[in-house]
């Protein structure tokens, strides 16, 4: 099911492997960056001092305990309710429900003081008749008095749903006194009429007069959302949340909704223009090694001499290139498998060729073509259980659990003693949280073949996830005893130790894994131990410099390693290097394989970008952000 065992991610997070799951089943690569997050199905990080929570569905702002005093001109919803009659409350409730459907909080849908006890209003014929030509003849006090009367009349008209009359009255009040509340109230009328451009115009005028006017910001954000200007709406809702001390849950939910919309919109565009290519060598290697190594089919052995101008020759060349485990050679292998089927004349190897081409199409994100190839493979050779298993992983990635389970059943019908079936079915159980079932299948895989290290590692991870820490530690100690030359054992055992904050021991295991990787695969080493050590040094000693250096080293070895890119973004963010972090988040989106992964990455990028824009547009909020979030260091990255 995955490209490698589902590992213990650094410090209090049992993460899913990123090599074959989309956000529909897990938070993908972001899981590796969190600590407590896996338990909450979220990832927390800090953007300019504001904690942000990212889920598979998007990003929400973590509601701070800080509270900002209300604006003097605004009363709370609770106070307003006390002043209403039962009839008024029923009416208000109904209108609030309508406003909620539109995405606008009730307090933001109403003009100022409409919900309060309205002061005595002058009869229409006694209201001041003012315009641009007569206003200059009035004293300052007269202007204030006239403005108050016109506003009260406007509130009454709004309450009676006479919106056009209210618009006229608020307009005359504005002539007397250009007050942000008057502009915002008139915007509420346009909001009720669905005239979104005019809502934007009036709320912009209100914000120009008072740039911390939360109600006007929320109204404008709602209008922008109706106009499908999602980035602008996101900016306003974000500023509103910061100004209001994160106490308005509806505004915070709006940020989540808008971040998802912006990310989805940009994600679809990226996906449409995205070149289909293989992911990082680390990703490809981890996926391929999740299947037990098997000898090449007869006639395709490494020593075989075949003409590369033939289908069999290309199939053979692809296998040779794949065994070298480097980015260039994986690309060569993918092209060779494509060419093998184009040339044809594969004889008994045709089903195997479809299996291999389907595998690399899947890794390139071409799921439909990959499914077609694997279906052709099992049609030609039903006994090839690996094709069923790979097809199951694709069904799961597409969210079709039933089809995935059916493929495992078909594979078992062909060969119930194939240990790969149980290992990959265990992965399905694991990501669905069915840990007891996962443990049974991992153990069955071990019983059938004790030499496959990842079954042992994954069993230890599952035991840890189930809370059986002693059993898990014992499993890893046996792994080190029985597989002392395998770097993956030390890497994942190190993650388990790091999760328990045994930093020194964890780093020793990561160092051992790194040295083994260098010796065994100098040109194609797995960079995960480097990344894990980077996180360990950050958590233990707050050593940003060394942590960054290790991440940079990982990216030199594997420039397209999504986990290294995301980790670097997190490290930069923790140091308040928000602009640099944004570049890495955007790079992570470019490296993502599937739409779900792209949207997750873009959610981080958009949250970061929005914070930068808020600080640029509202520089006075930077200090407040630091006060609420504990400074640019903010919440610790785990």
């Amino acid at each position: 099911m995955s490209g490698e065992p589902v590992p213990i991610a650094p410090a209090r997070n049992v993460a899913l492997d990123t090599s074959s799951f989309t956000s529909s089943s897990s938070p993908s690569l972001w899981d590796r960056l969190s600590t407590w997050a896996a338990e909450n199905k979220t990832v927390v990080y800090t953007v300019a001092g504001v904690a942000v929570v990212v889920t598979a569905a998007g990003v929400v702002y973590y509601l701070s305990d800080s509270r900002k005093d209300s604006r003097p001109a605004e009363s709370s919803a609770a106070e307003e309710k006390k002043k209403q009659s039962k009839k008024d409350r029923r009416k208000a409730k109904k209108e609030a429900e309508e406003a909620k459907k539109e995405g606008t909080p009730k307090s933001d849908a109403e003009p100022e003081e409409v919900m309060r006890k309205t002061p005595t209003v002058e009869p229409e014929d006694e209201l001041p008749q003012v315009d641009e030509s007569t206003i200059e003849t009035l004293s300052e006090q007269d202007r204030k008095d006239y403005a108050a009367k016109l506003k009260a009349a406007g509130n009454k008209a709004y309450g009676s749903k006479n919106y056009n009359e209210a618009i006229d009255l608020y307009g005359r009040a504005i002539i007397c006194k250009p007050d942000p509340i008057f502009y915002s109230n008139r915007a509420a009328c346009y909001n009720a009429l669905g005239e979104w451009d005019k809502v934007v115009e009036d709320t912009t005028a209100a914000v120009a007069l008072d740039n911390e006017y939360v109600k006007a910001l929320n109204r404008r954000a709602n209008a922008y959302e109706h106009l499908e200007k999602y980035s602008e709406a996101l900016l306003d809702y974000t500023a509103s949340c910061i100004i209001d001390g994160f106490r308005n849950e509806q505004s915070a939910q709006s940020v989540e909704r808008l971040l998802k919309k912006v990310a989805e919109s940009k994600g679809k565009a990226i996906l449409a223009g995205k070149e289909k290519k293989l992911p990082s060598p680390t990703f490809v290697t981890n996926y391929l090694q999740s299947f037990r190594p098997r000898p090449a089919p007869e006639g395709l052995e490494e020593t075989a001499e075949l003409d590369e101008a033939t289908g069999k020759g290309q199939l053979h060349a692809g296998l040779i290139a794949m065994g070298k485990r480097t980015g260039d050679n994986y690309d060569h292998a993918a092209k060779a498998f494509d060419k093998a089927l184009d040339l044809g004349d594969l004889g008994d190897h045709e089903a195997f060729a479809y299996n291999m081409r389907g595998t690399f199409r899947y890794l390139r994100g071409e799921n439909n073509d990959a499914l077609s190839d694997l279906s052709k493979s099992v049609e030609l050779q039903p006994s090839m259980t690996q094709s069923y298993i790979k097809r199951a992983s694709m069904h799961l990635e597409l969210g079709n659990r039933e089809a995935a389970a059916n493929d495992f059943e078909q594979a078992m019908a062909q060969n119930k003693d194939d240990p790969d079936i149980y290992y990959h079915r265990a992965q399905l159980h694991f990501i669905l949280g069915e840990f007891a079932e996962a443990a049974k299948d991992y153990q069955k895989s071990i019983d059938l073949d004790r030499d496959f290290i990842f079954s042992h590692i994954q069993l230890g991870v599952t035991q840890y996830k189930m809370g059986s820490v002693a059993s898990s530690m014992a499993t890893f100690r046996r792994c080190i005893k029985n597989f002392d030359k395998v770097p993956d054992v030390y890497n994942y055992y190190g993650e388990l130790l790091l999760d328990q904050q045994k930093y020194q021991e964890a780093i020793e295991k990561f160092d051992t894994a790194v040295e083994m990787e260098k010796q065994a695969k100098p040109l194609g080493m797995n960079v995960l131990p480097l990344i894990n050590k980077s996180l360990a040094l950050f958590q233990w000693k707050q050593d940003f410099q060394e942590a960054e250096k290790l991440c940079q080293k990982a990216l030199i070895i594997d420039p397209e390693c999504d986990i290294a890119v995301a980790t670097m973004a997190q490290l930069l963010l923790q140091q308040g290097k928000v602009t640099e972090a944004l570049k890495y988040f955007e790079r992570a989106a470019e490296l993502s394989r599937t739409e779900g992964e792209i949207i997750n990455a873009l959610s981080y990028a958009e949250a970061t970008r929005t914070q930068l824009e808020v600080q640029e547009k509202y520089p006075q909020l930077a200090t407040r952000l630091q006060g609420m979030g504990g400074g640019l260091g903010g919440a610790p990255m785990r």
Side-chain angles (χ1 to χ4, degrees):
M1 230 12 113
S2 69
E4 63 180 57
V6 181
I8 297 286
R12 295 198 183 83
N13 175 36
V14 179
L16 299 179
D17 174 61
T18 66
S19 52
S20 66
F21 307 131
T22 66
S23 61
S24 61
S25 58
S26 80
S28 191
L29 68 91
W30 307 110
D31 257 341
R32 286 189 180 274
L33 305 177
S34 60
T35 53
W36 59 269
E39 302 299 329
N40 298 278
K41 302 301 181 189
T42 58
V43 179
V44 174
Y45 73 105
T46 298
V47 181
V50 178
V52 175
V53 180
V54 179
T55 69
V59 183
V60 294
Y61 285 83
Y62 185 73
L63 300 183
S64 167
D65 285 334
S66 4
R67 292 291 183 268
K68 179 179 179 291
D69 291 339
S70 301
R71 291 173 51 87
E74 298 176 4
S75 61
S76 69
E79 290 171 341
E80 291 172 351
K81 265 192 172 181
K82 290 177 183 178
K83 297 180 180 180
Q84 292 174 304
S85 65
K86 288 183 179 179
K87 181 178 179 180
D88 287 336
R89 286 201 297 272
R90 285 195 297 269
K91 178 182 175 183
K93 183 179 179 182
K94 182 179 179 181
E95 291 177 355
E97 290 171 353
E98 291 173 358
K100 187 176 181 182
K101 290 177 183 177
E102 292 179 358
T104 310
K106 174 65 178 173
S107 60
D108 296 333
E110 295 284 8
E112 300 288 345
E113 298 185 358
V114 165
M115 299 298 292
R116 308 174 193 176
K117 183 176 180 181
T118 306
T120 303
V121 179
E122 300 280 348
E124 178 64 27
D125 58 357
E126 296 181 16
L127 286 171
Q129 297 299 318
V130 293
D131 56 32
E132 296 290 351
S133 63
T134 60
I135 190 64
E136 296 299 330
T137 64
L138 299 177
S139 68
E140 191 69 27
Q141 188 58 50
D142 284 343
R143 292 183 192 185
K144 289 182 180 179
D145 293 342
Y146 285 8
K149 291 178 181 179
L150 289 163
K151 175 195 172 187
N155 288 353
K156 182 179 179 182
Y158 181 93
S160 300
K161 297 189 178 180
N162 295 325
Y163 301 122
N164 287 318
E165 180 186 346
I167 287 169
D168 175 66
L169 291 163
Y170 289 135
R172 284 150 62 186
I174 289 168
I175 292 172
C176 294
K177 180 187 175 185
D179 188 289
I181 291 176
F182 302 165
Y183 279 109
S184 184
N185 285 3
R186 189 168 67 177
C189 299
Y190 287 128
N191 185 87
L193 296 171
E195 297 185 34
W196 307 116
D197 286 317
K198 290 184 177 179
V199 174
V200 170
E201 184 179 339
D202 270 358
T203 49
T204 298
V207 172
L209 292 167
D210 180 357
N211 63 10
E212 293 196 13
Y213 193 175
V214 168
K215 188 172 289 189
L217 284 166
N218 284 340
R219 283 189 184 136
R220 187 170 67 179
N222 178 61
Y224 276 139
E225 189 170 359
H226 278 88
L227 292 168
E228 297 185 1
K229 296 182 178 181
Y230 300 129
S231 294
E232 291 88 341
L234 177 58
L235 178 61
D236 277 351
Y237 274 130
T238 302
S240 166
C241 282
I242 296 167
I243 293 166
D244 209 24
F246 296 93
R247 66 185 174 186
N248 188 326
E249 187 173 350
Q250 283 185 314
S251 294
Q253 290 172 351
S254 295
V255 170
E256 174 184 9
R257 184 179 66 254
L258 266 298
L259 274 170
K260 185 178 180 183
K261 281 187 177 181
V262 173
E264 285 178 346
S265 175
K266 292 188 176 183
K268 290 182 188 301
I270 288 175
L271 199 62
K274 187 177 177 64
E275 177 189 358
K276 296 294 185 182
K277 65 177 184 177
L278 292 175
S280 74
T282 298
F283 187 110
V284 176
T285 298
N286 287 340
Y287 179 78
L288 295 175
Q289 72 180 12
S290 72
F291 294 89
R292 285 163 171 78
R294 300 182 184 185
E298 186 177 352
L300 297 177
E301 298 89 348
E302 186 173 355
T303 56
E305 296 183 5
L306 296 168
D307 183 357
E308 290 195 7
T310 66
K312 290 179 182 178
Q314 283 297 311
L315 192 56
H316 177 256
L319 290 175
I320 297 297
M322 190 174 72
K324 294 179 181 178
R325 298 188 177 188
T326 66
D328 289 342
N329 280 294
Y330 283 140
D331 285 332
H332 183 192
K335 292 173 183 176
F337 295 139
D338 286 343
K339 194 171 182 180
L341 282 162
D342 289 341
L343 291 169
D345 192 24
L346 294 163
D348 293 340
H349 300 312
E350 187 176 5
F352 179 71
Y354 276 109
N355 176 296
M356 296 313 301
R357 187 175 75 174
T359 299
F360 278 82
R361 281 181 163 179
Y362 164 65
L363 289 167
R364 287 197 298 261
E366 301 168 359
N367 274 356
N368 290 332
D369 290 338
L371 282 171
S372 177
D373 277 352
L374 291 168
S375 295
K376 183 67 174 178
S377 176
V378 296
E379 178 186 325
L380 291 168
Q381 190 176 332
S383 61
M384 190 171 288
T385 55
Q386 192 182 92
S387 294
Y388 287 109
I389 296 168
K390 290 178 178 177
R391 192 171 70 177
S393 71
M394 295 174 205
H395 283 310
L396 186 61
E397 185 166 291
L398 294 170
N400 193 340
R401 177 184 176 181
E402 186 176 340
N406 185 55
D407 273 338
F408 286 123
E409 290 299 323
Q410 290 187 68
M412 291 175 68
Q414 294 296 326
N415 182 5
K416 63 182 178 60
D417 293 326
D418 182 344
D420 275 345
I421 297 173
Y422 300 96
Y423 175 79
H424 286 273
R425 190 173 70 174
Q427 301 287 70
L428 180 150
H429 288 308
F430 187 99
I431 67 170
L432 294 173
E434 299 165 355
F435 302 120
E437 293 301 313
K440 289 179 185 177
D441 273 347
Y442 288 131
Q443 187 60 58
K444 178 69 173 178
S445 177
I446 291 169
D447 292 342
L448 291 169
D449 176 13
R450 305 194 69 82
D451 294 332
F452 187 61
I453 179 58
F454 295 116
S455 294
H456 297 271
I457 291 174
Q458 198 57 61
L459 176 61
V461 170
T462 305
Q463 291 168 332
Y464 192 85
K465 188 70 172 174
M466 294 170 70
S468 302
V469 177
S471 297
S472 175
M473 296 289 283
T475 297
F476 273 95
R477 284 194 292 270
R478 285 195 299 272
C479 285
I480 286 182
K481 180 180 179 181
N482 298 325
F483 301 93
D484 62 322
K485 303 300 182 185
V486 180
D488 300 271
V489 175
Y490 297 92
N491 181 51
Y492 295 119
Y493 188 33
E495 289 191 355
L496 187 152
L497 292 168
L498 182 56
D499 189 73
Q500 299 172 73
Q501 299 183 18
K502 297 178 179 179
Y503 299 115
Q504 185 64 55
E505 293 177 66
I507 288 174
E508 288 172 2
K509 297 295 182 293
F510 296 142
D511 282 338
T512 300
V514 168
E515 289 305 312
M516 286 184 173
E517 288 282 354
K518 286 179 181 177
Q519 294 173 20
K521 298 171 283 184
L523 297 179
M525 69 173 286
N526 188 334
V527 298
L528 295 183
L530 287 170
I531 299 169
N532 282 332
K533 183 179 178 182
S534 168
L535 291 172
L537 288 171
F538 166 75
Q539 291 170 38
W540 185 19
K541 299 181 177 179
Q542 297 285 297
D543 190 343
F544 286 107
Q545 185 175 358
E546 186 61 27
E548 278 190 43
K549 189 183 298 183
L550 287 166
C551 273
Q552 291 288 11
K553 187 174 182 179
L555 286 169
I556 290 171
I557 296 168
D558 188 352
E560 298 195 344
C561 179
D562 49 8
I563 301 168
V565 171
T567 303
M568 179 62 80
Q570 293 281 356
L571 289 168
L572 292 167
L573 208 54
Q574 288 296 314
Q575 299 172 75
K577 300 176 181 178
V578 187
T579 304
E580 294 175 59
L582 176 58
K583 294 176 183 177
Y584 278 92
F585 282 131
E586 290 174 335
R587 175 65 176 152
E590 293 173 6
L591 294 174
S592 299
R593 285 174 56 249
T594 65
E595 184 176 355
E597 290 176 351
I598 290 171
I599 289 171
N600 271 348
L602 286 175
S603 292
Y604 276 91
E606 290 307 312
T608 307
R609 188 195 326 281
T610 301
Q611 293 297 319
L612 284 171
E613 291 176 357
V614 167
Q615 290 189 83
E616 182 179 340
K617 193 168 183 178
Y618 306 100
Q620 77 278 10
L621 296 183
T623 303
R624 193 175 305 170
L625 280 170
Q626 293 178 14
M628 285 189 285
L632 294 177
M637 184 184 75
R638 301 290 183 88

